[in-house]
Amino acid sequence: MKNFRILTAALFWLALMGPAAAQILTPTHLSTALSKPIAKVGEEVELIINARIDDKWHLYASDFSDEVGPVVFTLKFKPSPAYALVGKLQAIKSHHEQDEIFKGEVAFWEKTGQMRQRIKILQPGALSIVADADYQSCTTVDGKCVPGSETLKFGPLTAIGAAAPAKAIGAMPPAAMSTTAAVAAAPTAAAPAAVQAADPASDTAAQAATAAVVPAPATSATPEATAAPAPAVASVALAADPVNKAGGLWAFALLAFTFGLAALVTPCVFPMVPMTVSLFTSGNDSRQRGIFKALVYGASIIGIYVLMGVLVSVLLGEDGPNLIATHWIPNLIFFIVFVVFGLSFLGLFEITLPHQIVNSVDAQADKGGWAGIFFMALTLVVVSFSCTAPIVGSILSMAARGERITPIVGMLGFSLAFALPFTLFAIFPSWLKSLPRSGGWLNTVKVVLGFIELMLALKFLSTADLAYHWHLLNRDVYIVLWIVLSALLGFYLLGKFRLSHDSPLDHLSVGRLLMAVLAFAFTVYLVPGLFGAPLPLLAGYLPPQSKHDFSLATAEGGAAPAMATSTAGAAARETPRFGEFLELPHNLDGYFDLEQAKRVARLQHKPIFIDFTGHACVNCRKMEATVWSDPQVLTQLRNDYVVVALYVDDKTELPQKEWYTSTHDNQIKTTLGKQNADLQITRYGINAQPYYVILDADDATSQPLVTPIAYEPDVAQFSAFLQAGSKQYRTQRVPVAAR
């Protein structure tokens, strides 16, 4: 028992502390950018410092008195005749509050922060701007504070010609740039970059990013800035699955809790509830002691399942989720596991643990005492394995596609629901009388879960099929299988057929009838999908419509109408590279190679719309089905842009002459997906999908025309983003003197 406690503590320590336990603390990570890489002599440019701050830490800002106590963020620039500072360093959207310890007002950021310093260009040439930064980061967890000092480099900044006679976009005369004006002007110009530093996987960041879209100079990092490995990455998240969001973790915990409730009404578990509760309500123990034992019993169940989550989290490691999300081996393993568990629930066979393990655990439970209560809980977990293993396996397989915390969250949600009735019925034994009697309905629940397991299994097979272009499971076959399974479930619930372990059905209960209605309603909803309907409610879980072999609209009216183009525009088209196995939704013309898209965009005089996407990206499919399908958005994409879809999880191996070593992780990038993912990380500091960037093909720095956005389900907001990008492209094309 002592060794078990030591092992448990060690596993929790590994999961929570990870490899950072023995490292020097660096809670704040700084990166730099310019408001524009090229400026005329006499113009003003903003130097941008983005800060990414570790969880539970905060970074003190520059807009409070240095006499209060904490170190104020300061920049000391090396003197240069090529530029002059304009105004003070501006802190963007810092949080102000009264500090009880320092007895004064302090300003700080959490998660992300941003500072801006305006400079005026005085001399032409290539400017390399250097400044020494001093700052302080603190945490309220244990009171630690860490001083920071590093040299920041901005640029290269190219200064050319003489100042334009008219006002340039984003520039202000030095005399007009007072401290008040700087503070007033900063939020509008800085909002996009501030949002950019936020976690792109959060809904709040996505909404803020869209709201911040204005036709102003982009604030992405320059190539020099983004070439740095870790600090340039604003977030690490697995966007192929919803569990990677903060809100998604709560939703996933609720889903796991629901699975835990479902596990309670399986034939292996439900009959054990009154049997187990009687152990705490009978005997010589007082009621208070019996309740306390029940609480320990419930806590032991939770601890056992959470320990499973910890083990999965530790074994996955940092790169585990990305590997599991896209590689064919884990996806096929999960497919097989789901099929096996589903067939087990249908009664084809029973999954059991070896009797030696069951008997050994049961013998430990018979010894009594507090250790005996723990082993009683372990006995329940082991004995109910044949019914709970498919459910637990399903949760862990879905959790493994999220962040490292998701297996722990999943097991916590499941075990809370699983342990709750044992504890509650021990506290309120009279409630046992209200429980329905065991019977054939338990096996019905088990069979329903079996059908659901088989339907979910197809998602994993589809992910591997799309990433490796096996062409095994197109959209038509996928929908047909779901229609058949859901229809069979409906007929089963109506009693039209029985499985081997079912009891005779004398009458049809109202609950069973309602479940059958839901199954048939789902079947009817799927049927139009066979004829090309988008099925938006399931867009994230079905293969994309481009993988559909037949569309009723196409069959009746011919091919989807393409937008009229001029002869010059048609001549400017190229056969899309990788177009033999990659397609864009809604019959959009587009490309899958950025360099090819740039060539076409220059000839057609259009901006580029980059769609960082993935075969396994649920939200990407939702965007295509519910937002891109809107007539206004579709028209904008067709007429105003050259669209390029960059799949970050595609496994197509490129010719060896195109391989290169990434500056981000020093790994050789050999496949199409790896190179696209590396492009997104190194150039834009983001690795979550979907992610949308608008570029001018003639801009050698590849800076976005407007602030990129992530998942944005609001059609109006997404359309406004496209409109802002197109407007900024046209604005940059107008000569300065003509503006």
Side-chain angles (χ1 to χ4, degrees):
M1 192 64 191
K2 180 179 179 181
N3 292 335
F4 180 82
R5 288 196 298 267
I6 293 174
L7 176 60
T8 303
L11 289 172
F12 268 97
W13 175 261
L14 284 173
L16 297 176
M17 297 303 293
Q23 295 179 354
I24 296 174
L25 295 175
T26 53
T28 295
H29 314 276
L30 302 180
S31 60
T32 61
L34 298 170
S35 61
K36 50 186 175 182
I38 302 174
K40 295 180 180 294
V41 173
E43 288 185 349
E44 292 181 2
V45 176
E46 283 187 312
L47 310 179
I48 304 166
I49 305 101
N50 288 313
R52 181 169 55 87
I53 307 155
D54 290 351
D55 191 27
K56 298 180 181 179
W57 285 80
H58 57 267
L59 168 67
Y60 286 106
S62 60
D63 52 341
F64 68 99
S65 174
D66 56 3
E67 296 179 359
V68 175
V71 175
V72 176
F73 195 105
T74 59
L75 283 181
K76 185 177 181 181
F77 288 85
K78 294 184 178 180
S80 171
Y83 67 91
L85 301 181
V86 178
K88 296 181 179 180
L89 178 67
Q90 300 296 319
I92 307 302
K93 294 186 178 180
S94 59
H95 178 69
H96 290 250
E97 70 177 26
Q98 289 292 323
D99 192 296
E100 296 179 359
I101 297 177
F102 293 108
K103 306 299 180 183
E105 183 183 85
V106 297
F108 59 91
W109 296 283
E110 295 178 340
K111 302 291 187 183
T112 60
Q114 188 183 88
M115 288 138 286
R116 291 194 167 212
Q117 174 66 61
R118 295 180 72 88
I119 64 169
K120 183 177 181 180
I121 308 300
L122 302 179
Q123 294 182 0
L127 279 65
S128 182
I129 304 167
V130 179
D132 295 322
D134 291 303
Y135 52 91
Q136 184 179 37
S137 309
C138 294
T139 175
T140 56
V141 175
D142 55 7
K144 290 180 180 176
C145 285
V146 178
S149 180
E150 61 184 285
T151 299
L152 302 178
K153 295 183 179 180
F154 303 83
L157 172 62
T158 303
I160 57 175
K167 288 184 180 179
I169 295 177
M172 294 180 63
M177 194 62 187
S178 64
T179 304
T180 305
V183 174
T188 301
V195 172
Q196 186 62 34
D199 187 355
S202 70
D203 291 336
T204 303
Q207 294 168 3
T210 306
V213 172
V214 292
T219 55
S220 315
T222 61
E224 180 179 306
T226 53
V233 182
S235 70
V236 177
L238 180 66
D241 211 277
V243 299
N244 65 339
K245 300 182 181 180
L249 280 177
W250 284 104
F252 183 67
L254 181 61
L255 176 65
F257 187 86
T258 305
F259 277 27
L261 295 177
L264 288 170
V265 291
T266 55
C268 312
V269 180
F270 187 81
M272 297 187 67
V273 175
M275 294 171 53
T276 304
V277 170
S278 64
L279 298 175
F280 303 117
T281 57
S282 60
N284 299 323
D285 288 339
S286 64
R287 174 172 169 77
Q288 289 78 8
R289 186 173 177 83
I291 292 174
F292 186 69
K293 283 186 175 180
L295 291 172
V296 174
Y297 181 76
S300 299
I301 294 174
I302 294 173
I304 292 168
Y305 281 110
V306 170
L307 181 60
M308 294 183 190
V310 172
L311 287 171
V312 171
S313 178
V314 172
L315 293 175
L316 281 179
E318 294 291 347
D319 297 326
N322 278 314
L323 174 67
I324 289 173
T326 60
H327 201 279
W328 69 271
I329 293 179
N331 277 285
L332 282 189
I333 290 175
F334 287 140
F335 168 72
I336 294 171
V337 167
F338 269 57
V339 170
V340 170
F341 285 163
L343 295 177
S344 171
F345 270 169
L346 294 179
L348 182 62
F349 49 82
E350 188 173 353
I351 302 173
T352 58
L353 287 175
H355 294 295
Q356 295 85 346
I357 297 177
V358 178
N359 295 335
S360 175
V361 174
D362 191 46
Q364 294 294 326
D366 291 337
K367 293 182 180 180
W370 299 110
I373 294 176
F374 171 81
F375 280 101
M376 283 175 57
L378 186 58
T379 301
L380 171 68
V381 173
V382 172
V383 171
S384 62
F385 177 80
S386 60
C387 288
T388 58
I391 300 175
V392 171
S394 301
I395 295 172
L396 290 177
S397 63
M398 287 186 289
R401 300 165 66 82
E403 298 174 349
R404 292 188 66 183
I405 191 66
T406 50
I408 302 174
V409 171
M411 287 295 93
L412 180 61
F414 173 85
S415 59
L416 279 173
F418 195 71
L420 197 59
F422 293 98
T423 304
L424 289 179
F425 285 124
I427 298 175
F428 306 103
S430 60
W431 290 3
L432 286 171
K433 298 178 182 179
S434 62
L435 283 178
R437 294 184 178 181
S438 300
W441 66 272
L442 289 173
N443 193 66
T444 300
V445 173
K446 192 174 179 181
V447 171
V448 170
L449 292 175
F451 277 110
I452 294 174
E453 290 274 334
L454 292 176
M455 295 175 74
L456 293 176
L458 296 177
K459 173 61 178 172
F460 296 100
L461 179 60
S462 175
T463 296
D465 182 54
L466 290 171
Y468 289 88
H469 312 292
W470 295 336
H471 306 294
L472 298 176
L473 190 65
N474 61 20
R475 186 180 174 92
D476 308 67
V477 176
Y478 195 114
I479 293 176
V480 165
L481 291 174
W482 269 25
I483 289 175
V484 172
L485 289 171
S486 58
L488 284 175
L489 175 57
F491 286 120
Y492 170 80
L493 291 170
L494 291 177
K496 298 303 181 181
F497 65 91
R498 288 192 299 157
L499 296 176
S500 58
H501 300 299
D502 284 332
S503 304
L505 185 64
D506 299 327
H507 66 280
L508 193 64
S509 66
V510 174
R512 189 161 181 152
L513 177 62
L514 292 177
M515 291 177 64
V517 169
L518 289 176
F520 283 122
F522 185 68
T523 303
V524 173
Y525 177 78
L526 288 170
V527 170
L530 289 176
F531 306 99
L535 304 179
L537 295 179
L538 301 172
Y541 303 94
L542 297 173
Q545 282 189 280
S546 60
K547 302 301 179 183
H548 200 91
D549 288 341
F550 173 73
S551 172
L552 187 61
T554 303
E556 292 180 350
M563 302 302 295
T565 56
S566 64
T567 305
R573 297 176 184 272
E574 294 184 11
T575 301
R577 189 185 182 197
F578 312 118
E580 63 273 16
F581 56 85
L582 294 176
E583 294 176 302
L584 285 165
H586 312 300
N587 293 309
L588 276 170
D589 289 328
Y591 300 89
F592 310 97
D593 178 85
L594 183 57
E595 294 305 316
Q596 184 182 33
K598 284 183 176 180
R599 290 197 303 269
V600 174
R602 292 188 189 103
L603 293 173
Q604 294 186 6
H605 305 291
K606 292 182 179 180
I608 298 174
F609 174 81
I610 301 180
D611 170 27
F612 285 104
T613 184
H615 296 296
C617 175
V618 172
N619 284 339
C620 300
R621 302 292 85 77
K622 289 182 180 178
M623 286 291 295
E624 293 165 3
T626 61
V627 178
W628 288 29
S629 60
D630 180 82
Q632 181 178 355
V633 171
L634 202 53
T635 299
Q636 288 175 296
L637 290 174
R638 280 200 175 110
N639 294 351
D640 300 341
Y641 290 96
V642 171
V643 179
V644 55
L646 302 181
Y647 283 84
V648 301
D649 56 1
D650 194 271
K651 306 303 179 182
T652 303
E653 186 164 311
L654 298 173
Q656 190 169 358
K657 64 181 180 180
E658 297 182 26
W659 297 1
Y660 68 88
T661 301
S662 170
T663 58
H664 167 65
D665 56 11
N666 294 320
Q667 299 294 316
I668 299 177
K669 305 302 178 182
T670 61
T671 66
L672 178 63
K674 287 183 178 179
Q675 292 194 3
N676 288 335
D678 185 65
L679 171 70
Q680 186 184 6
I681 291 173
T682 56
R683 187 168 293 177
Y684 303 110
I686 298 292
N687 73 335
Q689 296 81 44
Y691 193 65
Y692 305 112
V693 181
I694 296 176
L695 294 181
D696 183 343
D698 290 327
D699 186 353
T701 63
S702 295
Q703 292 201 69
L705 290 168
V706 293
T707 302
I709 64 173
Y711 177 66
E712 176 48 74
D714 189 299
V715 172
Q717 296 281 21
F718 192 80
S719 178
F721 165 70
L722 295 176
Q723 185 177 3
S726 178
K727 181 178 180 181
Q728 178 64 8
Y729 175 79
R730 294 193 303 270
T731 300
Q732 289 191 174
R733 292 284 162 159
V734 177
V736 174
R739 295 176 190 169

